[in-house]
Amino acid sequence: DLVEAEAVLKDDQLYLKDLTERCEVRAKDWDQRSQLRSDELKALAGALAILKNNVTDADTEVNVRALLQEKGSQVQGSAKALKSVAPHVAAAVSLLQTVSSSSSSSSSASLRGTAKSVSLTTQVRQDKVVTLLGQEGRRLKSVALSSLALHLGDDPFTKVKGLIQALIERLLKEATAEATKKGFCDTELGKATKERDYRLADTKALDTEAQALEIKEAELKEEMELLSSALETLHSDLDTATTLRGEEKEDNAKTLKQAKEGLEAVTEAVKILKVFYKQAAKAKVLLQASPVDEDTAGAGFSGAYKGKQEKSTGIIGMLEVIASDFERTIRTTEAAEKKAQEEFVEFDRVSKADISGKDTKKTLDGEDLVTTQNTLAQKLEDLESNQKLLDSALLRLEDLKPTCIDLTMPYEERVAKREEEIAALKRALCILDTEGVETSCS
């Protein structure tokens, strides 16, 4: 019995030892599972906190902005070319038509004296003279000859010759006086006409130059107004483009900052989860076969706890998709920012060059305008002076007209008529010359 009891005791002691060791192992296994689960929860909580704080809002904001990002924008500036019609100032310069005296061609009638028969009586000679002077007076429409013919019929023969001679002398004096007047009138009319023509030509030239300067002045003013308007538009467009570029750059910088922070946060969360589940997959618990297993149902679990490996794969995959969205947003935004900056730099360069050119042109036009206005003022003064001189020349011509221009009979006709009157009187003297003393009758 003792041997049998010792054998049972020995078996019980061995069973107790195995049970104790098994319980200790189970306890350690439980502690491992509990600790691993606690660590898993901490890892998930840490990753979730990172995602909530750094990723959730940024993911929605920057990725939507990236998808809607314009591939490029161009700012264009245009200058309107306005056409204008410069006002034309027309000044009418009156022309004075003057009546010029035609060149004189004098023709002298040959004196014909016919010595009549000395046998004629004195009365017959006197009657013939009266008849001759009357006929010539009517033909020439000469008041002097007709009047003399009327008086000769009643005067004595000796007095007739004196009357005829006196009339001849008077006509010769009138011819001399008229010739002198003709010379004076020709000289003065020539000078006045030349002065008028010179001043008229000068006035026309000055008027033409003044009109051209006024047109140029109007064109310069219009061009300067167009340049001012264009410069205002260019400055406004450049300021607007600069402001928009600054806002766009600020938005892109904000987008890149949020996207990079989100990417960094997601990458950190993925790293935490990958490290944890990689270590959890290596967890092991070594158990030996024991009679205790035959008498117990076990702890309800077996082996080491390795975490939710299958579910972790889906979570990590989703986080990697979010990370790829952030990476795409960064690439898109950086490309858009680069393109927008290049386009702005080109627009800024072209706009500033255009502004510089138009500023220079406006300055030169302003200087040209001042010169044109000064020249125009001088031309207008000269035009006014020449217009006064032209008016003076025209007044001089008007003053000479009553004296020098006989509208009833031209000078040449008056000279010819007077010469015929003198010739008729000389023929009358020849008729009365009974003694042959008149040299013109021989």
Side-chain angles (χ1 to χ4, degrees), residues 117-162:
S117 175
V118 290
S119 60
L120 293 177
T121 64
T122 302
Q123 186 60 42
V124 173
R125 289 175 182 270
Q126 187 172 345
D127 291 341
K128 291 186 67 173
V129 168
V130 172
T131 302
L132 173 64
L133 294 180
Q135 291 176 350
E136 291 298 313
R138 289 189 295 272
R139 181 177 69 84
L140 298 176
K141 296 180 180 180
S142 173
V143 177
L145 293 182
S146 298
S147 178
L148 180 61
L150 291 176
H151 288 86
L152 289 181
D154 299 330
D155 291 334
F157 180 80
T158 55
K159 190 177 179 181
V160 169
K161 291 183 64 176

mmCIF file of all heavy atoms in Angstrom, residues 117-162:
data_model
loop_
_atom_site.group_PDB
_atom_site.id
_atom_site.type_symbol
_atom_site.label_atom_id
_atom_site.label_comp_id
_atom_site.label_asym_id
_atom_site.label_seq_id
_atom_site.Cartn_x
_atom_site.Cartn_y
_atom_site.Cartn_z
ATOM 1 N N SER A 117 -7.225 176.095 -153.524
ATOM 2 C CA SER A 117 -6.945 177.166 -154.535
ATOM 3 C C SER A 117 -6.997 178.538 -153.872
ATOM 4 O O SER A 117 -7.873 178.818 -153.062
ATOM 5 C CB SER A 117 -7.986 177.104 -155.665
ATOM 6 O OG SER A 117 -7.776 178.183 -156.533
ATOM 7 N N VAL A 118 -5.968 179.315 -154.134
ATOM 8 C CA VAL A 118 -5.892 180.639 -153.540
ATOM 9 C C VAL A 118 -6.972 181.574 -154.073
ATOM 10 O O VAL A 118 -7.152 182.666 -153.564
ATOM 11 C CB VAL A 118 -4.500 181.262 -153.836
ATOM 12 C CG1 VAL A 118 -3.432 180.548 -153.071
ATOM 13 C CG2 VAL A 118 -4.212 181.259 -155.331
ATOM 14 N N SER A 119 -7.624 180.998 -155.037
ATOM 15 C CA SER A 119 -8.660 181.836 -155.617
ATOM 16 C C SER A 119 -9.929 181.844 -154.797
ATOM 17 O O SER A 119 -10.842 182.594 -155.056
ATOM 18 C CB SER A 119 -8.988 181.376 -157.055
ATOM 19 O OG SER A 119 -9.433 180.035 -157.005
ATOM 20 N N LEU A 120 -10.000 180.844 -153.810
ATOM 21 C CA LEU A 120 -11.201 180.769 -152.975
ATOM 22 C C LEU A 120 -11.297 182.020 -152.134
ATOM 23 O O LEU A 120 -10.305 182.539 -151.623
ATOM 24 C CB LEU A 120 -11.159 179.537 -152.074
ATOM 25 C CG LEU A 120 -11.243 178.179 -152.780
ATOM 26 C CD1 LEU A 120 -11.115 177.073 -151.753
ATOM 27 C CD2 LEU A 120 -12.564 178.051 -153.513
ATOM 28 N N THR A 121 -12.433 182.364 -151.888
ATOM 29 C CA THR A 121 -12.647 183.544 -151.085
ATOM 30 C C THR A 121 -12.510 183.206 -149.616
ATOM 31 O O THR A 121 -12.570 182.039 -149.217
ATOM 32 C CB THR A 121 -14.064 184.097 -151.351
ATOM 33 O OG1 THR A 121 -15.015 183.128 -150.926
ATOM 34 C CG2 THR A 121 -14.257 184.456 -152.793
ATOM 35 N N THR A 122 -12.345 184.207 -148.796
ATOM 36 C CA THR A 122 -12.173 184.002 -147.346
ATOM 37 C C THR A 122 -13.404 183.358 -146.733
ATOM 38 O O THR A 122 -13.309 182.461 -145.886
ATOM 39 C CB THR A 122 -11.905 185.363 -146.673
ATOM 40 O OG1 THR A 122 -10.738 185.947 -147.260
ATOM 41 C CG2 THR A 122 -11.703 185.212 -145.187
ATOM 42 N N GLN A 123 -14.598 183.769 -147.170
ATOM 43 C CA GLN A 123 -15.830 183.204 -146.600
ATOM 44 C C GLN A 123 -15.975 181.739 -146.948
ATOM 45 O O GLN A 123 -16.400 180.935 -146.122
ATOM 46 C CB GLN A 123 -17.038 183.978 -147.136
ATOM 47 C CG GLN A 123 -18.361 183.572 -146.483
ATOM 48 C CD GLN A 123 -18.359 183.800 -144.979
ATOM 49 O OE1 GLN A 123 -17.869 184.844 -144.515
ATOM 50 N NE2 GLN A 123 -18.871 182.836 -144.216
ATOM 51 N N VAL A 124 -15.584 181.430 -148.178
ATOM 52 C CA VAL A 124 -15.682 180.012 -148.577
ATOM 53 C C VAL A 124 -14.769 179.161 -147.718
ATOM 54 O O VAL A 124 -15.122 178.078 -147.255
ATOM 55 C CB VAL A 124 -15.354 179.871 -150.076
ATOM 56 C CG1 VAL A 124 -15.272 178.408 -150.461
ATOM 57 C CG2 VAL A 124 -16.401 180.577 -150.925
ATOM 58 N N ARG A 125 -13.543 179.718 -147.520
ATOM 59 C CA ARG A 125 -12.600 178.955 -146.684
ATOM 60 C C ARG A 125 -13.169 178.780 -145.269
ATOM 61 O O ARG A 125 -13.088 177.698 -144.669
ATOM 62 C CB ARG A 125 -11.271 179.709 -146.627
ATOM 63 C CG ARG A 125 -10.486 179.692 -147.929
ATOM 64 C CD ARG A 125 -9.234 180.566 -147.800
ATOM 65 N NE ARG A 125 -8.495 180.597 -149.027
ATOM 66 C CZ ARG A 125 -7.521 179.744 -149.355
ATOM 67 N NH1 ARG A 125 -7.216 178.784 -148.517
ATOM 68 N NH2 ARG A 125 -6.882 179.834 -150.523
ATOM 69 N N GLN A 126 -13.720 179.817 -144.730
ATOM 70 C CA GLN A 126 -14.266 179.750 -143.378
ATOM 71 C C GLN A 126 -15.423 178.759 -143.301
ATOM 72 O O GLN A 126 -15.542 177.984 -142.349
ATOM 73 C CB GLN A 126 -14.717 181.150 -142.939
ATOM 74 C CG GLN A 126 -15.146 181.204 -141.468
ATOM 75 C CD GLN A 126 -15.403 182.627 -141.000
ATOM 76 O OE1 GLN A 126 -15.005 183.593 -141.676
ATOM 77 N NE2 GLN A 126 -16.041 182.768 -139.853
ATOM 78 N N ASP A 127 -16.287 178.759 -144.328
ATOM 79 C CA ASP A 127 -17.412 177.805 -144.348
ATOM 80 C C ASP A 127 -16.918 176.365 -144.414
ATOM 81 O O ASP A 127 -17.481 175.459 -143.783
ATOM 82 C CB ASP A 127 -18.321 178.118 -145.553
ATOM 83 C CG ASP A 127 -19.058 179.445 -145.380
ATOM 84 O OD1 ASP A 127 -19.142 179.902 -144.201
ATOM 85 O OD2 ASP A 127 -19.541 179.982 -146.382
ATOM 86 N N LYS A 128 -15.849 176.190 -145.226
ATOM 87 C CA LYS A 128 -15.319 174.823 -145.334
ATOM 88 C C LYS A 128 -14.737 174.358 -143.997
ATOM 89 O O LYS A 128 -14.882 173.192 -143.599
ATOM 90 C CB LYS A 128 -14.245 174.781 -146.423
ATOM 91 C CG LYS A 128 -14.801 174.966 -147.829
ATOM 92 C CD LYS A 128 -13.738 174.785 -148.887
ATOM 93 C CE LYS A 128 -13.271 173.366 -148.936
ATOM 94 N NZ LYS A 128 -12.357 173.135 -150.068
ATOM 95 N N VAL A 129 -14.100 175.302 -143.278
ATOM 96 C CA VAL A 129 -13.554 174.939 -141.957
ATOM 97 C C VAL A 129 -14.677 174.571 -141.002
ATOM 98 O O VAL A 129 -14.603 173.581 -140.249
ATOM 99 C CB VAL A 129 -12.709 176.107 -141.410
ATOM 100 C CG1 VAL A 129 -12.379 175.879 -139.941
ATOM 101 C CG2 VAL A 129 -11.444 176.262 -142.214
ATOM 102 N N VAL A 130 -15.758 175.372 -141.005
ATOM 103 C CA VAL A 130 -16.907 175.084 -140.129
ATOM 104 C C VAL A 130 -17.484 173.709 -140.437
ATOM 105 O O VAL A 130 -17.812 172.916 -139.544
ATOM 106 C CB VAL A 130 -17.974 176.183 -140.276
ATOM 107 C CG1 VAL A 130 -19.250 175.796 -139.527
ATOM 108 C CG2 VAL A 130 -17.436 177.513 -139.746
ATOM 109 N N THR A 131 -17.618 173.442 -141.760
ATOM 110 C CA THR A 131 -18.164 172.134 -142.161
ATOM 111 C C THR A 131 -17.262 170.990 -141.703
ATOM 112 O O THR A 131 -17.708 169.959 -141.179
ATOM 113 C CB THR A 131 -18.330 172.077 -143.686
ATOM 114 O OG1 THR A 131 -19.200 173.162 -144.092
ATOM 115 C CG2 THR A 131 -18.916 170.758 -144.111
ATOM 116 N N LEU A 132 -15.928 171.166 -141.912
ATOM 117 C CA LEU A 132 -14.962 170.117 -141.528
ATOM 118 C C LEU A 132 -15.001 169.844 -140.035
ATOM 119 O O LEU A 132 -15.080 168.684 -139.589
ATOM 120 C CB LEU A 132 -13.556 170.558 -141.961
ATOM 121 C CG LEU A 132 -12.398 169.639 -141.489
ATOM 122 C CD1 LEU A 132 -12.527 168.251 -142.103
ATOM 123 C CD2 LEU A 132 -11.049 170.267 -141.834
ATOM 124 N N LEU A 133 -14.953 170.928 -139.269
ATOM 125 C CA LEU A 133 -14.959 170.730 -137.813
ATOM 126 C C LEU A 133 -16.275 170.144 -137.315
ATOM 127 O O LEU A 133 -16.303 169.337 -136.372
ATOM 128 C CB LEU A 133 -14.680 172.069 -137.118
ATOM 129 C CG LEU A 133 -13.273 172.661 -137.343
ATOM 130 C CD1 LEU A 133 -13.134 173.997 -136.604
ATOM 131 C CD2 LEU A 133 -12.188 171.691 -136.866
ATOM 132 N N GLY A 134 -17.378 170.538 -137.972
ATOM 133 C CA GLY A 134 -18.665 169.967 -137.569
ATOM 134 C C GLY A 134 -18.725 168.466 -137.843
ATOM 135 O O GLY A 134 -19.209 167.679 -137.015
ATOM 136 N N GLN A 135 -18.273 168.089 -139.044
ATOM 137 C CA GLN A 135 -18.279 166.657 -139.387
ATOM 138 C C GLN A 135 -17.369 165.848 -138.439
ATOM 139 O O GLN A 135 -17.754 164.774 -137.938
ATOM 140 C CB GLN A 135 -17.834 166.484 -140.841
ATOM 141 C CG GLN A 135 -18.835 167.000 -141.863
ATOM 142 C CD GLN A 135 -18.309 166.909 -143.282
ATOM 143 O OE1 GLN A 135 -17.130 166.628 -143.511
ATOM 144 N NE2 GLN A 135 -19.186 167.195 -144.252
ATOM 145 N N GLU A 136 -16.165 166.358 -138.201
ATOM 146 C CA GLU A 136 -15.227 165.647 -137.324
ATOM 147 C C GLU A 136 -15.735 165.608 -135.882
ATOM 148 O O GLU A 136 -15.551 164.616 -135.151
ATOM 149 C CB GLU A 136 -13.849 166.314 -137.384
ATOM 150 C CG GLU A 136 -13.126 166.161 -138.716
ATOM 151 C CD GLU A 136 -12.861 164.709 -139.020
ATOM 152 O OE1 GLU A 136 -12.366 163.969 -138.116
ATOM 153 O OE2 GLU A 136 -13.156 164.257 -140.137
ATOM 154 N N GLY A 137 -16.389 166.700 -135.499
ATOM 155 C CA GLY A 137 -16.943 166.722 -134.147
ATOM 156 C C GLY A 137 -18.008 165.654 -133.964
ATOM 157 O O GLY A 137 -18.080 164.993 -132.925
ATOM 158 N N ARG A 138 -18.873 165.514 -134.987
ATOM 159 C CA ARG A 138 -19.912 164.481 -134.896
ATOM 160 C C ARG A 138 -19.314 163.070 -134.972
ATOM 161 O O ARG A 138 -19.736 162.151 -134.277
ATOM 162 C CB ARG A 138 -20.939 164.699 -135.999
ATOM 163 C CG ARG A 138 -21.814 165.928 -135.766
ATOM 164 C CD ARG A 138 -22.952 165.972 -136.777
ATOM 165 N NE ARG A 138 -22.440 166.154 -138.134
ATOM 166 C CZ ARG A 138 -22.217 167.331 -138.683
ATOM 167 N NH1 ARG A 138 -22.413 168.450 -137.986
ATOM 168 N NH2 ARG A 138 -21.789 167.433 -139.939
ATOM 169 N N ARG A 139 -18.306 162.910 -135.862
ATOM 170 C CA ARG A 139 -17.706 161.569 -136.026
ATOM 171 C C ARG A 139 -16.958 161.135 -134.759
ATOM 172 O O ARG A 139 -17.088 159.991 -134.303
ATOM 173 C CB ARG A 139 -16.748 161.592 -137.206
ATOM 174 C CG ARG A 139 -16.083 160.240 -137.492
ATOM 175 C CD ARG A 139 -15.200 160.317 -138.723
ATOM 176 N NE ARG A 139 -14.027 161.146 -138.481
ATOM 177 C CZ ARG A 139 -12.896 160.705 -137.899
ATOM 178 N NH1 ARG A 139 -12.826 159.458 -137.476
ATOM 179 N NH2 ARG A 139 -11.882 161.537 -137.743
ATOM 180 N N LEU A 140 -16.201 162.102 -134.229
ATOM 181 C CA LEU A 140 -15.417 161.776 -133.037
ATOM 182 C C LEU A 140 -16.193 161.983 -131.747
ATOM 183 O O LEU A 140 -15.681 161.675 -130.662
ATOM 184 C CB LEU A 140 -14.150 162.649 -133.002
ATOM 185 C CG LEU A 140 -13.162 162.464 -134.161
ATOM 186 C CD1 LEU A 140 -12.010 163.477 -134.047
ATOM 187 C CD2 LEU A 140 -12.604 161.057 -134.177
ATOM 188 N N LYS A 141 -17.413 162.483 -131.890
ATOM 189 C CA LYS A 141 -18.226 162.799 -130.714
ATOM 190 C C LYS A 141 -17.451 163.738 -129.798
ATOM 191 O O LYS A 141 -17.416 163.554 -128.577
ATOM 192 C CB LYS A 141 -18.630 161.535 -129.964
ATOM 193 C CG LYS A 141 -19.525 160.621 -130.768
ATOM 194 C CD LYS A 141 -19.901 159.374 -129.985
ATOM 195 C CE LYS A 141 -20.794 158.461 -130.823
ATOM 196 N NZ LYS A 141 -21.176 157.231 -130.078
ATOM 197 N N SER A 142 -16.808 164.741 -130.461
ATOM 198 C CA SER A 142 -15.987 165.693 -129.732
ATOM 199 C C SER A 142 -16.788 166.956 -129.465
ATOM 200 O O SER A 142 -17.221 167.655 -130.379
ATOM 201 C CB SER A 142 -14.725 166.027 -130.535
ATOM 202 O OG SER A 142 -13.997 167.063 -129.913
ATOM 203 N N VAL A 143 -16.961 167.243 -128.178
ATOM 204 C CA VAL A 143 -17.693 168.449 -127.775
ATOM 205 C C VAL A 143 -16.902 169.703 -128.157
ATOM 206 O O VAL A 143 -17.461 170.719 -128.584
ATOM 207 C CB VAL A 143 -17.962 168.417 -126.258
ATOM 208 C CG1 VAL A 143 -18.648 169.704 -125.807
ATOM 209 C CG2 VAL A 143 -18.824 167.215 -125.909
ATOM 210 N N ALA A 144 -15.552 169.583 -128.034
ATOM 211 C CA ALA A 144 -14.705 170.749 -128.330
ATOM 212 C C ALA A 144 -14.808 171.149 -129.795
ATOM 213 O O ALA A 144 -14.977 172.348 -130.126
ATOM 214 C CB ALA A 144 -13.256 170.444 -127.949
ATOM 215 N N LEU A 145 -14.732 170.175 -130.710
ATOM 216 C CA LEU A 145 -14.817 170.478 -132.139
ATOM 217 C C LEU A 145 -16.196 170.992 -132.526
ATOM 218 O O LEU A 145 -16.342 171.945 -133.303
ATOM 219 C CB LEU A 145 -14.452 169.250 -132.955
ATOM 220 C CG LEU A 145 -12.992 168.764 -132.862
ATOM 221 C CD1 LEU A 145 -12.772 167.556 -133.771
ATOM 222 C CD2 LEU A 145 -12.006 169.876 -133.227
ATOM 223 N N SER A 146 -17.212 170.336 -131.992
ATOM 224 C CA SER A 146 -18.589 170.762 -132.334
ATOM 225 C C SER A 146 -18.854 172.165 -131.827
ATOM 226 O O SER A 146 -19.470 173.006 -132.522
ATOM 227 C CB SER A 146 -19.601 169.784 -131.720
ATOM 228 O OG SER A 146 -19.420 168.499 -132.252
ATOM 229 N N SER A 147 -18.404 172.467 -130.602
ATOM 230 C CA SER A 147 -18.614 173.795 -130.047
ATOM 231 C C SER A 147 -17.852 174.860 -130.836
ATOM 232 O O SER A 147 -18.374 175.958 -131.110
ATOM 233 C CB SER A 147 -18.157 173.806 -128.583
ATOM 234 O OG SER A 147 -18.298 175.099 -128.030
ATOM 235 N N LEU A 148 -16.614 174.511 -131.235
ATOM 236 C CA LEU A 148 -15.819 175.450 -132.012
ATOM 237 C C LEU A 148 -16.467 175.721 -133.369
ATOM 238 O O LEU A 148 -16.485 176.857 -133.864
ATOM 239 C CB LEU A 148 -14.397 174.917 -132.193
ATOM 240 C CG LEU A 148 -13.438 175.801 -132.985
ATOM 241 C CD1 LEU A 148 -13.241 177.168 -132.294
ATOM 242 C CD2 LEU A 148 -12.098 175.115 -133.165
ATOM 243 N N ALA A 149 -17.017 174.669 -133.986
ATOM 244 C CA ALA A 149 -17.659 174.821 -135.294
ATOM 245 C C ALA A 149 -18.840 175.789 -135.215
ATOM 246 O O ALA A 149 -19.103 176.573 -136.132
ATOM 247 C CB ALA A 149 -18.102 173.458 -135.807
ATOM 248 N N LEU A 150 -19.563 175.754 -134.092
ATOM 249 C CA LEU A 150 -20.715 176.644 -133.926
ATOM 250 C C LEU A 150 -20.275 178.100 -133.782
ATOM 251 O O LEU A 150 -20.925 179.019 -134.300
ATOM 252 C CB LEU A 150 -21.525 176.228 -132.696
ATOM 253 C CG LEU A 150 -22.271 174.891 -132.815
ATOM 254 C CD1 LEU A 150 -22.944 174.542 -131.499
ATOM 255 C CD2 LEU A 150 -23.309 174.956 -133.927
ATOM 256 N N HIS A 151 -19.159 178.318 -133.090
ATOM 257 C CA HIS A 151 -18.703 179.695 -132.882
ATOM 258 C C HIS A 151 -18.002 180.304 -134.099
ATOM 259 O O HIS A 151 -18.015 181.514 -134.291
ATOM 260 C CB HIS A 151 -17.744 179.765 -131.678
ATOM 261 C CG HIS A 151 -18.448 179.595 -130.366
ATOM 262 N ND1 HIS A 151 -18.704 178.369 -129.809
ATOM 263 C CD2 HIS A 151 -18.990 180.514 -129.503
ATOM 264 C CE1 HIS A 151 -19.335 178.506 -128.667
ATOM 265 N NE2 HIS A 151 -19.531 179.853 -128.462
ATOM 266 N N LEU A 152 -17.387 179.431 -134.909
ATOM 267 C CA LEU A 152 -16.626 179.966 -136.052
ATOM 268 C C LEU A 152 -17.520 180.637 -137.084
ATOM 269 O O LEU A 152 -17.095 181.543 -137.804
ATOM 270 C CB LEU A 152 -15.823 178.847 -136.718
ATOM 271 C CG LEU A 152 -14.623 178.319 -135.927
ATOM 272 C CD1 LEU A 152 -13.904 177.236 -136.727
ATOM 273 C CD2 LEU A 152 -13.643 179.442 -135.567
ATOM 274 N N GLY A 153 -18.733 180.192 -137.196
ATOM 275 C CA GLY A 153 -19.614 180.736 -138.221
ATOM 276 C C GLY A 153 -19.901 182.217 -137.998
ATOM 277 O O GLY A 153 -20.138 182.967 -138.938
ATOM 278 N N ASP A 154 -19.872 182.673 -136.730
ATOM 279 C CA ASP A 154 -20.222 184.058 -136.427
ATOM 280 C C ASP A 154 -18.995 184.949 -136.244
ATOM 281 O O ASP A 154 -19.135 186.176 -136.191
ATOM 282 C CB ASP A 154 -21.070 184.114 -135.147
ATOM 283 C CG ASP A 154 -22.375 183.340 -135.313
ATOM 284 O OD1 ASP A 154 -22.873 183.264 -136.449
ATOM 285 O OD2 ASP A 154 -22.865 182.779 -134.289
ATOM 286 N N ASP A 155 -17.822 184.357 -136.081
ATOM 287 C CA ASP A 155 -16.605 185.139 -135.831
ATOM 288 C C ASP A 155 -15.945 185.568 -137.131
ATOM 289 O O ASP A 155 -16.050 184.898 -138.162
ATOM 290 C CB ASP A 155 -15.613 184.313 -135.020
ATOM 291 C CG ASP A 155 -16.117 184.099 -133.606
ATOM 292 O OD1 ASP A 155 -16.902 184.919 -133.108
ATOM 293 O OD2 ASP A 155 -15.705 183.071 -132.973
ATOM 294 N N PRO A 156 -15.173 186.678 -137.061
ATOM 295 C CA PRO A 156 -14.441 187.138 -138.252
ATOM 296 C C PRO A 156 -13.386 186.121 -138.649
ATOM 297 O O PRO A 156 -12.953 185.291 -137.865
ATOM 298 C CB PRO A 156 -13.818 188.466 -137.788
ATOM 299 C CG PRO A 156 -14.561 188.854 -136.560
ATOM 300 C CD PRO A 156 -15.090 187.606 -135.935
ATOM 301 N N PHE A 157 -12.909 186.213 -139.865
ATOM 302 C CA PHE A 157 -11.945 185.268 -140.405
ATOM 303 C C PHE A 157 -10.656 185.299 -139.599
ATOM 304 O O PHE A 157 -10.062 184.269 -139.298
ATOM 305 C CB PHE A 157 -11.682 185.612 -141.886
ATOM 306 C CG PHE A 157 -10.690 184.690 -142.513
ATOM 307 C CD1 PHE A 157 -11.060 183.443 -142.960
ATOM 308 C CD2 PHE A 157 -9.347 185.081 -142.664
ATOM 309 C CE1 PHE A 157 -10.134 182.604 -143.540
ATOM 310 C CE2 PHE A 157 -8.427 184.236 -143.245
ATOM 311 C CZ PHE A 157 -8.812 182.989 -143.670
ATOM 312 N N THR A 158 -10.210 186.496 -139.235
ATOM 313 C CA THR A 158 -8.945 186.608 -138.520
ATOM 314 C C THR A 158 -9.027 186.013 -137.122
ATOM 315 O O THR A 158 -8.049 185.497 -136.587
ATOM 316 C CB THR A 158 -8.549 188.090 -138.405
ATOM 317 O OG1 THR A 158 -9.627 188.796 -137.788
ATOM 318 C CG2 THR A 158 -8.271 188.720 -139.768
ATOM 319 N N LYS A 159 -10.202 186.072 -136.551
ATOM 320 C CA LYS A 159 -10.370 185.520 -135.199
ATOM 321 C C LYS A 159 -10.480 183.996 -135.213
ATOM 322 O O LYS A 159 -10.137 183.315 -134.242
ATOM 323 C CB LYS A 159 -11.624 186.128 -134.559
ATOM 324 C CG LYS A 159 -11.763 185.825 -133.082
ATOM 325 C CD LYS A 159 -12.991 186.525 -132.514
ATOM 326 C CE LYS A 159 -13.137 186.203 -131.043
ATOM 327 N NZ LYS A 159 -14.342 186.850 -130.450
ATOM 328 N N VAL A 160 -10.923 183.436 -136.329
ATOM 329 C CA VAL A 160 -11.134 181.985 -136.435
ATOM 330 C C VAL A 160 -9.818 181.253 -136.247
ATOM 331 O O VAL A 160 -9.716 180.251 -135.524
ATOM 332 C CB VAL A 160 -11.762 181.636 -137.794
ATOM 333 C CG1 VAL A 160 -11.736 180.141 -138.024
ATOM 334 C CG2 VAL A 160 -13.187 182.151 -137.842
ATOM 335 N N LYS A 161 -8.759 181.730 -136.931
ATOM 336 C CA LYS A 161 -7.469 181.052 -136.824
ATOM 337 C C LYS A 161 -6.969 181.067 -135.374
ATOM 338 O O LYS A 161 -6.417 180.076 -134.880
ATOM 339 C CB LYS A 161 -6.452 181.743 -137.731
ATOM 340 C CG LYS A 161 -6.740 181.554 -139.216
ATOM 341 C CD LYS A 161 -5.678 182.191 -140.084
ATOM 342 C CE LYS A 161 -4.363 181.525 -139.887
ATOM 343 N NZ LYS A 161 -3.333 182.090 -140.801
ATOM 344 N N GLY A 162 -7.210 182.165 -134.673
ATOM 345 C CA GLY A 162 -6.767 182.232 -133.277
ATOM 346 C C GLY A 162 -7.494 181.232 -132.402
ATOM 347 O O GLY A 162 -6.903 180.587 -131.521
#
